Amino acid sequence: MVVNLRNQSGLTSIDLTTDYGAAFPRSPQDRYDAGRWIVEGSLMVILLHVNSGESLLCTLKGNMHTDVYTLDASGLILAVSQEEYRRTH
């Protein structure tokens, strides 16, 4: 799973893996889930709201990047530089 994280300096991207046993719920664009770093930049927990109305904590392992993830017109995920992202969004 790839996501963008908003922090004090802007956006950064992160590739995340989890051992969550079900299909990871997909958030609509511009929806945010609450999360907290356990180990800055590599291990976090997020509060997921699943379809049944339940909430649960999920542990994620990650690798941070300086690029930002975007969707192109065909729905493909692209990694773009911070500068390009600022120019186009």
Side-chain angles (χ1 to χ4, degrees), residues 25-82:
R26 186 173 180 160
S27 295
Q29 189 171 0
D30 296 328
R31 185 182 135 216
Y32 300 93
D33 293 309
R36 159 173 79 86
W37 287 111
I38 303 299
V39 177
E40 183 76 28
S42 65
L43 186 64
M44 73 172 1
V45 294
I46 62 171
L47 180 62
L48 292 178
H49 302 285
V50 293
N51 292 338
S52 64
E54 295 178 56
S55 296
L56 52 100
L57 283 176
C58 183
T59 302
L60 304 167
K61 296 177 184 175
N63 294 312
M64 303 265 313
H65 305 278
T66 57
D67 292 340
V68 177
Y69 291 114
T70 63
L71 291 177
D72 72 4
S74 66
L76 292 175
I77 297 173
L78 303 175
V80 299
S81 69
Q82 294 279 340

